[in-house]
Amino acid sequence: MSLRLPNPALSPQDAAAGNAPSLSKRYGIAIVGNDKIIDWLLPFLESYRDTNSSLPLYLIPYDDNVAMTRRAADVYGAVYVGEEPIEIDKLSHELYPGIFNSNRRRLRKLQALALPLDEVAYVDVDVILFRDFTPAFGRLEEGKTEFIVASPSFEYVYNDRRDHYPFLKDALLFNDGFWVTSNKFLKLSDFIDTVRDDAAIFHDVRKRGQLFAQPLVNFVTHRRGLKIDLLPNVVAGASHESFYKAPGVAFRDGKPVDYEGKEIYFAHWAGATALPRSSVFDAAWTEYSRAAWARFKK
């Protein structure tokens, strides 16, 4: 399948400042899914169709339970990534040898780094998108901005032993449910090499408690010294907020803003134990879910 180049929707300020993403670059979004989470996957895909269909979408299979997932990829024009993630699965076995496979496979999000893209935005699938992601591309710069995240995560990355390691002292800890980077700055081989050299440090500092990919993505970016920045620092008017229980959220013209009036790009049901019901973003999720199931069953 040939790649679709983005059709940027730029603000006049961005255009005047020369911040338009280069049309010669290949930008895209990556997600991971399977049939077990089809109730999350379909609303995500519908929100993608509504807000970001100008960007190619890559769907990475979580496992082999993908009959409905493959059909969903066809319905929404996503690229189903059929290559076996041999190196990633090997890495997950080495890191977490006593862990059940379904948890180890959370590392399959790293396959986003091997896609044929100049820049990729990885997004967890328990998300709906509210705005065009095009302004988040073309912002990477060597030595300044090499890895973009939306939200900090202070409690779910490392334990207190991080203080023993100077390279972690002032590191920005982040939620790995959204990031933008380029394989110019971060490759799958960087994860393999870092684990080979520093697995003992990683296991010493990583937070336990059903956390697998998030501590690893943080650790590798920190250990390799990537320049990490928050989305609002690189996209004017963007909010760092995405949590589904965020306080002070309001909707303007159908799009959410945070308590400061900054634009929320997506909502993330991180840690949710049930499908959305009554929080501030749930009506939008429910509508996307209804429309997606109707489209999927045609």
Side-chain angles (χ1 to χ4, degrees), residues 212-281:
F212 302 97
Q214 183 157 293
L216 180 64
V217 176
N218 273 263
F219 182 80
V220 172
T221 56
H222 296 150
R223 188 58 169 149
R224 304 194 77 82
L226 266 69
K227 302 300 182 182
I228 305 169
D229 212 341
L230 291 168
L231 184 65
N233 293 337
V234 294
V235 176
S239 173
H240 77 274
E241 191 58 79
S242 62
F243 187 45
Y244 75 106
K245 291 184 179 179
V249 173
F251 278 76
R252 295 179 184 168
D253 300 322
K255 305 290 186 183
V257 295
D258 67 15
Y259 71 98
E260 294 181 310
K262 293 183 178 179
E263 297 177 339
I264 295 174
Y265 272 67
F266 63 96
H268 186 192
W269 279 262
T273 57
L275 294 178
R277 292 181 181 175
S278 58
S279 64
V280 66
F281 298 108

Side-chain angles (χ1 to χ4, degrees), residues 114-136:
L115 296 174
L117 297 170
D118 296 297
E119 296 181 17
V120 62
Y122 170 79
V123 189
D124 275 357
V125 77
D126 52 348
V127 157
I128 56 172
L129 310 179
F130 285 107
R131 301 180 190 275
D132 178 16
F133 274 25
T134 300

Side-chain angles (χ1 to χ4, degrees), residues 163-191:
D163 296 336
H164 299 168
Y165 301 95
F167 73 93
L168 295 178
K169 182 179 179 182
D170 298 317
L172 171 62
L173 311 188
F174 55 86
N175 184 309
D176 79 332
F178 169 87
W179 39 265
V180 178
T181 194
S182 166
N183 57 22
K184 176 182 177 181
F185 304 123
L186 186 65
K187 303 179 181 66
L188 178 56
S189 61
D190 293 331
F191 283 80

Side-chain angles (χ1 to χ4, degrees), residues 2-9 21-28 48 52-58 116-119 132 134 137:
S2 60
L3 296 179
R4 294 167 288 164
L5 290 173
N7 179 21
S22 169
L23 288 178
S24 64
K25 294 287 186 72
R26 299 168 299 171
Y27 305 133
Y48 156 78
N52 280 274
S53 60
S54 64
L55 290 167
L57 176 67
Y58 291 79
L117 297 170
D118 296 297
E119 296 181 17
D132 178 16
T134 300
F137 291 104

Side-chain angles (χ1 to χ4, degrees), residues 20 44 74 267 286:
F44 173 91
D74 289 340
T286 300

